[in-house]
Amino acid sequence: MASATDARYGQKESSDQNFDYMFKILIIGNSSVGKTSFLFRYADDSFTPAFVSTVGIDFKVKTIYRQDKRIKLQIWDTAGQERYRTITTAYYRGAMGFILMYDITNEESFNAVQDWSTQIKTYSWDNAQVLLVGNKCDMEDERVVSSERGRQLADHLGFEFFEASAKDNINVKQTFERLVDVICEKMSESLATADPAVTGAKQGPQLSDQQAPPHQDCAC
Ligand code: GDP
Ligand code: MG
């Protein structure tokens, strides 16, 4: 039977016992910042591609190990809808983590970060975690957004910050692993304090009366 932990933070499919948790992660940001490249770089050939043609959204699955937990990541990438800001609210549903990306050589993509952040806060689960990523840090000569500005914006929004390069494979794996760790930390914290924001969260996985009380000893 699914535990309350699973109900809150992911699904444990009875048919697949090869993971402890499943996290839905979204990569968002302006068009051309490198979201698809970033996902391909990370997923490499050990992914399971799926294409949801009706909504034009793609996701890949990758299982990683963090602190003795097998965590299955379902990482979603938009198929260009971000250009028109027509990402549906369904896309955000159930997402536990976001990589909010801009391009360090593109001021406009940086200026859009605030808007994307507002979208996340509006449509996603209250406990969803966000990492701000300035991609294309290999293009130092064309940089228009300094690291300092990136960091300041991240601080202002309450997100952690990385500069990365999908092209040169800089900080790609680290970004995903840090995001998973932050989700796990939040999860332990919420379970320990029985944060009402969890159970009362909009669009978040809900607890039902039938389910067991939360584990207090999550070591994730
Ligand atoms: P998306 O629209 O956000 O999914 O962006 P794409 O992944 O399609 O990338 C847009 C363009 O930026 C492509 O030409 C990529 O080759 C290029 N690109 C993506 N990531 C990097 C990077 O880290 N460095 C450099 N130099 N180019 C990149
Ligand atoms: Mg893309």
mmCIF file with all atom_site columns, all heavy atoms in Angstrom, residues 78 95 104 153 173 208:
data_model
loop_
_atom_site.group_PDB
_atom_site.id
_atom_site.type_symbol
_atom_site.label_atom_id
_atom_site.label_alt_id
_atom_site.label_comp_id
_atom_site.label_asym_id
_atom_site.label_entity_id
_atom_site.label_seq_id
_atom_site.pdbx_PDB_ins_code
_atom_site.Cartn_x
_atom_site.Cartn_y
_atom_site.Cartn_z
_atom_site.occupancy
_atom_site.B_iso_or_equiv
_atom_site.pdbx_formal_charge
_atom_site.auth_seq_id
_atom_site.auth_comp_id
_atom_site.auth_asym_id
_atom_site.auth_atom_id
_atom_site.pdbx_PDB_model_num
ATOM 1  N N   . THR A 1 78  ? 9.224  21.534 -22.441 1.00 0.00 ? 78  THR A N   1
ATOM 2  C CA  . THR A 1 78  ? 8.165  22.046 -23.323 1.00 0.00 ? 78  THR A CA  1
ATOM 3  C C   . THR A 1 78  ? 8.600  21.892 -24.777 1.00 0.00 ? 78  THR A C   1
ATOM 4  O O   . THR A 1 78  ? 9.773  21.726 -25.065 1.00 0.00 ? 78  THR A O   1
ATOM 5  C CB  . THR A 1 78  ? 7.905  23.540 -23.066 1.00 0.00 ? 78  THR A CB  1
ATOM 6  O OG1 . THR A 1 78  ? 9.147  24.223 -23.158 1.00 0.00 ? 78  THR A OG1 1
ATOM 7  C CG2 . THR A 1 78  ? 7.274  23.765 -21.720 1.00 0.00 ? 78  THR A CG2 1
ATOM 8  N N   . ALA A 1 95  ? 4.215  18.973 -10.112 1.00 0.00 ? 95  ALA A N   1
ATOM 9  C CA  . ALA A 1 95  ? 5.664  19.181 -10.220 1.00 0.00 ? 95  ALA A CA  1
ATOM 10 C C   . ALA A 1 95  ? 6.250  19.504 -8.850  1.00 0.00 ? 95  ALA A C   1
ATOM 11 O O   . ALA A 1 95  ? 5.706  20.305 -8.097  1.00 0.00 ? 95  ALA A O   1
ATOM 12 C CB  . ALA A 1 95  ? 5.963  20.311 -11.192 1.00 0.00 ? 95  ALA A CB  1
ATOM 13 N N   . ILE A 1 104 ? 22.753 33.393 -20.359 1.00 0.00 ? 104 ILE A N   1
ATOM 14 C CA  . ILE A 1 104 ? 23.594 34.512 -19.890 1.00 0.00 ? 104 ILE A CA  1
ATOM 15 C C   . ILE A 1 104 ? 23.964 35.476 -21.014 1.00 0.00 ? 104 ILE A C   1
ATOM 16 O O   . ILE A 1 104 ? 24.455 36.566 -20.763 1.00 0.00 ? 104 ILE A O   1
ATOM 17 C CB  . ILE A 1 104 ? 24.886 34.022 -19.185 1.00 0.00 ? 104 ILE A CB  1
ATOM 18 C CG1 . ILE A 1 104 ? 25.811 33.304 -20.183 1.00 0.00 ? 104 ILE A CG1 1
ATOM 19 C CG2 . ILE A 1 104 ? 24.586 33.153 -17.973 1.00 0.00 ? 104 ILE A CG2 1
ATOM 20 C CD1 . ILE A 1 104 ? 27.274 33.417 -19.829 1.00 0.00 ? 104 ILE A CD1 1
ATOM 21 N N   . LEU A 1 153 ? 19.416 37.994 -8.200  1.00 0.00 ? 153 LEU A N   1
ATOM 22 C CA  . LEU A 1 153 ? 18.020 37.708 -8.537  1.00 0.00 ? 153 LEU A CA  1
ATOM 23 C C   . LEU A 1 153 ? 17.578 36.414 -7.843  1.00 0.00 ? 153 LEU A C   1
ATOM 24 O O   . LEU A 1 153 ? 16.471 36.333 -7.299  1.00 0.00 ? 153 LEU A O   1
ATOM 25 C CB  . LEU A 1 153 ? 17.837 37.595 -10.057 1.00 0.00 ? 153 LEU A CB  1
ATOM 26 C CG  . LEU A 1 153 ? 16.422 37.299 -10.543 1.00 0.00 ? 153 LEU A CG  1
ATOM 27 C CD1 . LEU A 1 153 ? 15.428 38.370 -10.069 1.00 0.00 ? 153 LEU A CD1 1
ATOM 28 C CD2 . LEU A 1 153 ? 16.371 37.189 -12.074 1.00 0.00 ? 153 LEU A CD2 1
ATOM 29 N N   . LYS A 1 173 ? 24.713 17.969 -14.361 1.00 0.00 ? 173 LYS A N   1
ATOM 30 C CA  . LYS A 1 173 ? 24.399 16.924 -13.390 1.00 0.00 ? 173 LYS A CA  1
ATOM 31 C C   . LYS A 1 173 ? 24.233 17.549 -11.992 1.00 0.00 ? 173 LYS A C   1
ATOM 32 O O   . LYS A 1 173 ? 23.312 17.218 -11.250 1.00 0.00 ? 173 LYS A O   1
ATOM 33 C CB  . LYS A 1 173 ? 25.564 15.927 -13.392 1.00 0.00 ? 173 LYS A CB  1
ATOM 34 C CG  . LYS A 1 173 ? 25.354 14.696 -12.579 1.00 0.00 ? 173 LYS A CG  1
ATOM 35 C CD  . LYS A 1 173 ? 26.404 13.652 -12.996 1.00 0.00 ? 173 LYS A CD  1
ATOM 36 C CE  . LYS A 1 173 ? 26.349 12.439 -12.116 1.00 0.00 ? 173 LYS A CE  1
ATOM 37 N NZ  . LYS A 1 173 ? 27.470 12.345 -11.178 1.00 0.00 ? 173 LYS A NZ  1
ATOM 38 N N   . SER A 1 208 ? -5.202 11.163 2.026   1.00 0.00 ? 208 SER A N   1
ATOM 39 C CA  . SER A 1 208 ? -6.581 10.770 2.280   1.00 0.00 ? 208 SER A CA  1
ATOM 40 C C   . SER A 1 208 ? -6.635 10.148 3.671   1.00 0.00 ? 208 SER A C   1
ATOM 41 O O   . SER A 1 208 ? -5.617 9.757  4.242   1.00 0.00 ? 208 SER A O   1
ATOM 42 C CB  . SER A 1 208 ? -7.065 9.774  1.233   1.00 0.00 ? 208 SER A CB  1
ATOM 43 O OG  . SER A 1 208 ? -6.684 8.478  1.623   1.00 0.00 ? 208 SER A OG  1
#
